[in-house]
Amino acid sequence: MDKIRKQEEIKSDQHKVGLLPLITLVMGSAIGAGIFNLMKDMAQGAAPGAVLISWVIVGIGIIALALCFQNLSDALPELDAGIFQYAEDGFGKFAGFASAWGYWLSIWLGNVAFATMLMSSLGFFFPIFKGGQNIPSIIGASILLWFLNYLVTKGVENATVINFVVTICKLVPIFVFIVCGLFAFKLSTFTYDFWGTVSQRFEWADVFYQVKSTMLITIFVFVGIEGASILSSRAKYKKDVGRATIIGVLSVLVIYMLVTILSFGILPQGELAHLPEPGMAYVLEAIVGYWGAAFICGGLSISILGVWLSWTILPAETGLIAAKQGLFPQLFGKVNKHGAPTYSLAITSGCIQLFMFTFLITDEAYQFMASMVSSVVIITYLFVTLYQVKFSYQQPKSKNRTIQLAIGVVATLFQIWAFFSAGLKYNLLLTLLFVPGIFVYIQAQKEQGRSKNIFSNFEKMVVGLIFVGSVAALYFLVTDVIAI
C-alpha cells in the first residue's frame, strides 16, 4: 500500500512546476507585444527625462508589488488559489469576485491586443495582413485563437513547457536589439530636448503630465508578473512562487529600461513617436538596415505566440479557480480528462473572438486594448496591496512587520496613483465591463445557496456606482465625448 502511495506521489510531482519554468512563466507572461512597441508608446507622451522619472516610479511600485506577492505567498501558502484569493480573505466574497473578474477581464483583453499586434507584424512579410486591422487579420487571428484553445485543453502543464521553450527563443531578438543599441547609443541624441518642455528646462507641471502619460503603458507591459502566483497550486515548492516572481520582475524591469533608454539614444523623441508598429523593428532598422526590421518582426511573432499561450492558460485557470471558490458559476469549473477547464477556455475564447471585431471600428486597436487591460488589472493589484497592508498590520510588532507594512503602503500608493493616471475615459469604460460581472456573481451566489442578502449595504453602494458609471459611459460614447 505504501509503495502504491509513493508511486502516486512521484507521479504527482512529475506534473508539478519547478522554479525555472515558473520564472520563465513570469517573464513569458510579461514580455510580449508591449516591449516591441514600448519606445514608441512612451515617446508619444514623454521626453527622455520624464521617461527616466517614470521608470524610477514604476520600478519602485512594481518591485513593491512583487514583494507583496512574495511575502503573501511565503506567509500564507495555504492561499494557493490565485492572487484574487487575497481579496476574498481580506475583504469578503464580493471583493474576491471583483478581483477575480478584473483579472479575468485583463488577461483576455490583452489577448485582443496581442492579436492585432501579431497580425501587424506578420503584415511585414505578408501584405494581406498589413496594419493588423482588417478582415484577413481577424480570420488569421481567429484560427490561431482556437488552435491555442485546443492546445491548452490537452493539459496546462504541457502548455507551460512549450511556453518555457518559446520564452527562451523570443528573448534572442530582444538581446540582439540591446547589444546593437549599446553600440549605436549616442548621448547627444538622448540628451537632446531632454525634458521636452518649451523652455527646455525642468518644469514640474509639464514633466508631471508626461510621467502620468506613461502609466497605463508601463502597467500593461508588466501584466503577467503574477503568473507564478496563479499557478501556485501547481508549484513543486511553495517558496518557489515568491522567488520566481521577484527574479522574473527584476529581470523584466532591467530589460524594459534598457530597451527604452537605448531607443531614445538612437532616435530623437519626435521620430520614435511617429514610427510604424512595431517601433523596435524600425529602431533596429535605423542601426543595421532592413534585415533588422525583418528580424524583429519575426521575433515579435514568436513573442506574441508565447505570451498568448501563457495568457490562454491564465484566464482559463482564473475562471476555474474562481468557480471552485464560488465566485464564478460552476460551469467555469468543469474540466476534461487532462484537467483543463474546457468551458472556461471556451467562454474566454468566445469573448476574445467577439472583441476582435474592434479591429474594424478603431484606428488604434492595440493601444486602446492595452490601456483597457491596464485600467482593469489595477483593481486586482490594488486588492493585493491592500491585503498586504492589512495582513502586515495584524502581525506582532517587529522589524519585519514594519518593513512589510511599509512595502504594502508603497505598493498601494503606486496602484492608486496609476488608477487616477488612467483618466476618466478608461475608468468609465471600466464600469461597462463590470456590469455583466454583477450578474455572473449573482448566479454564482445562487448556486451556492445564497439567493438573499447577496450584497452588504456597502457592496450595494458599490454596485450602484458601477451602474451609474456604465450609464454615463454609454452616454458619452453615443455623444462622442468618449471615442474608442
Side-chain angles (χ1 to χ4, degrees):
M1 192 73 176
D2 290 337
K3 186 176 181 181
I4 294 173
R5 188 181 295 111
K6 188 174 182 180
Q7 288 176 340
E8 289 177 347
E9 289 175 356
I10 293 173
K11 186 176 180 180
S12 175
D13 286 340
Q14 290 175 344
H15 289 280
K16 294 292 185 177
V17 183
L19 176 61
L20 188 56
L22 284 172
I23 292 173
T24 58
L25 180 65
V26 174
M27 295 182 68
S29 297
I31 299 177
I35 189 172
F36 290 90
N37 210 51
L38 184 57
M39 65 292 295
K40 174 187 174 179
D41 290 335
M42 296 191 81
Q44 287 180 336
V51 168
L52 287 176
I53 294 174
S54 296
W55 280 126
V56 171
I57 295 173
V58 171
I60 293 171
I62 291 296
I63 290 172
L65 176 62
L67 289 171
C68 290
F69 287 139
Q70 182 187 40
N71 177 59
L72 294 174
S73 177
D74 291 345
L76 300 166
E78 67 276 10
L79 299 183
D80 62 355
I83 59 174
F84 44 84
Q85 192 174 9
Y86 300 136
E88 181 181 359
D89 189 66
F91 309 103
K93 203 80 171 177
F94 182 64
F97 166 77
S99 179
W101 184 256
Y103 187 73
W104 181 74
L105 284 172
S106 71
I107 300 300
W108 67 256
L109 283 171
N111 285 342
V112 181
F114 295 150
T116 182
M117 183 62 79
L118 174 60
M119 303 319 293
S120 179
S121 65
L122 289 176
F124 183 86
F125 305 103
F126 308 103
I128 191 174
F129 301 125
K130 188 173 182 180
Q133 294 186 214
N134 52 26
I135 295 296
S137 295
I138 293 175
I139 294 172
S142 299
I143 292 172
L144 181 58
L145 165 67
W146 293 103
F147 171 73
L148 291 176
N149 183 293
Y150 169 78
L151 183 63
V152 177
T153 61
K154 295 304 178 182
V156 171
E157 291 85 357
N158 292 334
T160 304
V161 171
I162 295 171
N163 179 71
F164 169 71
V165 175
V166 172
T167 299
I168 299 301
C169 292
K170 76 179 178 182
L171 289 177
V172 173
I174 297 173
F175 175 76
V176 170
F177 176 85
I178 290 173
V179 171
C180 292
L182 286 169
F183 285 100
F185 181 85
K186 293 180 180 178
L187 185 61
S188 59
T189 303
F190 183 73
T191 56
Y192 176 77
D193 196 18
F194 188 69
W195 294 113
T197 60
V198 175
S199 66
Q200 295 190 338
R201 293 191 297 269
F202 179 87
E203 296 178 11
W204 170 253
D206 196 343
V207 174
F208 178 76
Y209 180 80
Q210 292 181 54
V211 171
K212 278 182 63 178
S213 75
T214 67
M215 284 300 104
L216 287 183
I217 299 163
T218 50
I219 291 290
F220 175 69
V221 295
F222 277 104
V223 173
I225 62 171
E226 67 292 327
S229 295
I230 290 295
L231 294 183
S232 59
S233 62
R234 299 173 183 268
K236 279 186 179 180
Y237 307 103
K238 296 300 180 186
K239 285 195 173 182
D240 283 350
V241 175
R243 292 169 183 166
T245 301
I246 294 298
I247 295 171
V249 167
L250 289 174
S251 301
V252 169
L253 178 60
V254 170
I255 291 171
Y256 285 160
M257 290 182 69
L258 281 172
V259 165
T260 49
I261 291 171
L262 290 175
S263 296
F264 276 92
I266 297 166
L267 295 175
Q269 179 191 355
E271 290 187 39
L272 286 175
H274 293 94
L275 288 175
E277 295 177 353
M280 183 186 289
Y282 298 95
V283 175
L284 188 58
E285 184 179 41
I287 302 173
V288 300
Y290 175 84
W291 76 264
F295 184 63
I296 293 297
C297 285
L300 173 57
S301 300
I302 295 173
S303 174
I304 295 178
L305 286 172
V307 79
W308 198 345
L309 176 58
S310 296
W311 285 32
T312 299
I313 298 170
L314 293 178
E317 285 282 294
T318 299
L320 171 64
I321 295 168
K324 288 181 178 179
Q325 292 181 238
L327 302 176
F328 280 19
Q330 296 173 5
L331 184 67
F332 283 83
K334 293 183 178 181
V335 298
N336 63 11
K337 63 181 181 181
H338 299 289
T342 50
Y343 287 95
S344 182
L345 274 167
I347 294 169
T348 301
S349 296
C351 291
I352 296 170
Q353 182 71 77
L354 179 64
F355 271 68
M356 278 184 184
F357 289 101
T358 58
F359 292 4
L360 305 177
I361 62 175
T362 177
D363 293 332
E364 300 288 347
Y366 171 76
Q367 286 81 1
F368 174 70
M369 285 299 169
S371 297
M372 286 303 303
V373 169
S374 300
S375 299
V376 74
V377 81
I378 288 171
I379 304 298
T380 302
Y381 288 164
L382 182 59
F383 275 119
V384 173
T385 62
L386 287 172
Y387 186 69
Q388 165 81 0
V389 172
K390 180 178 180 179
F391 177 76
S392 299
Y393 182 78
Q394 293 173 339
Q395 302 309 301
K397 290 186 177 181
S398 66
K399 182 179 179 181
N400 182 63
R401 181 247 196 187
T402 302
I403 292 173
Q404 294 301 332
L405 187 59
I407 289 171
V409 170
V410 170
T412 299
L413 290 175
F414 173 72
Q415 296 303 323
I416 293 173
W417 149 261
F419 178 80
F420 284 105
S421 295
L424 184 61
K425 170 184 173 179
Y426 289 106
N427 289 333
L428 282 177
L429 291 175
L430 183 63
T431 62
L432 279 176
L433 295 175
F434 268 83
V435 167
I438 301 299
F439 298 101
V440 170
Y441 177 69
I442 291 172
Q443 176 60 31
Q445 295 312 295
K446 287 181 177 179
E447 291 178 355
Q448 298 295 313
R450 291 183 63 199
S451 57
K452 295 182 179 180
N453 301 319
I454 294 177
F455 301 103
S456 67
N457 289 333
F458 177 75
E459 290 168 353
K460 287 177 182 177
M461 183 176 68
V462 173
V463 170
L465 289 174
I466 290 173
F467 277 98
V468 170
S470 66
V471 171
L474 285 173
Y475 174 77
F476 289 143
L477 283 170
V478 171
T479 57
D480 289 329
V481 174
I482 293 180
I484 294 179

